[in-house]
Amino acid sequence: MHPADFDPLSDCPDPSAGLAMGDIVRVGDRRATAMQDAIACEQAVALEYNGIAHAALLASPLHLHELALGFSYTEGIIRSPADVLDMDVETAPDGLVVRLRIVNARLHALKLRRRSLAGSTSCGLCGVQSLAQIRRDLPPLDAPERPWTARAIESALDQLRQRQPLHNLTGATHAAAWADADGRLAWTYEDVGRHNALDKLIGRLLREPVDRGRGFVVVSSRASFEMVQKAHAAGIRALVAVSAPTTLAVRLAREAPMMLAGFARDGRCAIYSRPDYLDLDLDGSRT
């Protein structure tokens, strides 16, 4: 089959699966083979609050109620799930629209926030001109009731690798999961965007009677400033990332304070903030 004869990629015929099948040419050992492969769906998802368009995300078309709830909370648009009166997902010509109806007090706060950002011409974080504008004024976090163990972190990471069906099929998604104090995973969410995966998880945590001060979050990505801030906003005391953190992420984690671990893989990790939240011997051996 010549590449020009390939059928166009179907636009995620089953959004609930989060993937589509597409024609590819696999090249290896000096051979080219025409075949089909699983490709992760990525769609534009617009968020509207009481008819006001506020944000557009590129996301996997899965668990959009959790995504909208988690995003609204971690971005400070709502203060609790009770602030959302209604939520609907609709198909639009260019993607999906999540329409939220929020209480008047939060709508007023959102309008004031939008007004304060109007007219900004700087590039970068959604038109925000300085770090002071993107950093939320969040209360400090209390220490966990008891330290976590390296075994709990290792167990959570082992389970995370097994709970990423979209990644296993496509190789194109990130995951965020909630682990209890012993490292048992309760919920795992995948998305093409690491921030979206974390927002989906937080959206679920907001609806569950779970003590967010006792468990921890593991993510399959790097730990950026936004990831740490979202976790802080949700009252999460520890974020464990498979990849590296950034300097701003480390700074925020130390000020929160919360435990931040990076390069968590193969039974090892690097603790960048609050190593005292992990139960270790003085020589660093696991307990």
Side-chain angles (χ1 to χ4, degrees), residues 104-188:
N104 289 334
R106 301 315 304 158
L107 178 63
H108 178 68
L110 177 61
K111 288 180 178 178
L112 290 177
R113 177 181 175 183
R114 288 169 58 84
R115 209 171 296 140
S116 70
L117 297 178
S120 172
T121 58
S122 65
C123 61
L125 289 158
C126 301
V128 175
Q129 292 179 315
S130 70
L131 179 61
Q133 286 179 287
I134 67 164
R135 175 154 182 181
R136 294 182 56 196
D137 185 15
L138 298 169
L141 297 172
D142 296 330
E145 293 183 7
R146 61 184 175 92
W148 295 285
T149 67
R151 283 195 181 94
I153 292 176
E154 186 175 352
S155 175
L157 290 167
D158 287 342
Q159 295 167 71
L160 183 66
R161 284 189 288 269
Q162 302 167 14
R163 297 193 182 189
Q164 299 181 64
L166 273 181
H167 179 79
N168 293 337
L169 287 170
T170 69
T173 59
H174 288 295
W178 175 254
D180 67 14
D182 296 318
R184 293 185 294 263
L185 294 193
W187 307 286
T188 305

Side-chain angles (χ1 to χ4, degrees), residues 86-107:
D86 192 24
M87 188 189 313
D88 291 305
V89 179
E90 298 180 8
T91 302
D94 298 321
L96 299 165
V97 180
V98 184
R99 305 186 193 279
L100 299 94
R101 188 164 59 92
I102 58 178
V103 296
N104 289 334
R106 301 315 304 158
L107 178 63

Side-chain angles (χ1 to χ4, degrees), residues 17 19 50 55 72 90 172 214 255 283 285:
L19 57 84
N50 295 41
S72 301
E90 298 180 8
R214 300 191 63 182
E255 294 175 1
D283 64 357
S285 60

Side-chain angles (χ1 to χ4, degrees), residues 8-38:
L9 177 67
S10 58
D11 188 16
C12 299
D14 183 8
S16 64
L19 57 84
M21 299 304 297
D23 294 313
I24 69 166
V25 173
R26 194 173 297 282
V27 180
D29 298 326
R30 299 183 179 180
R31 298 181 58 186
T33 305
M35 61 187 300
Q36 283 210 321
D37 197 17

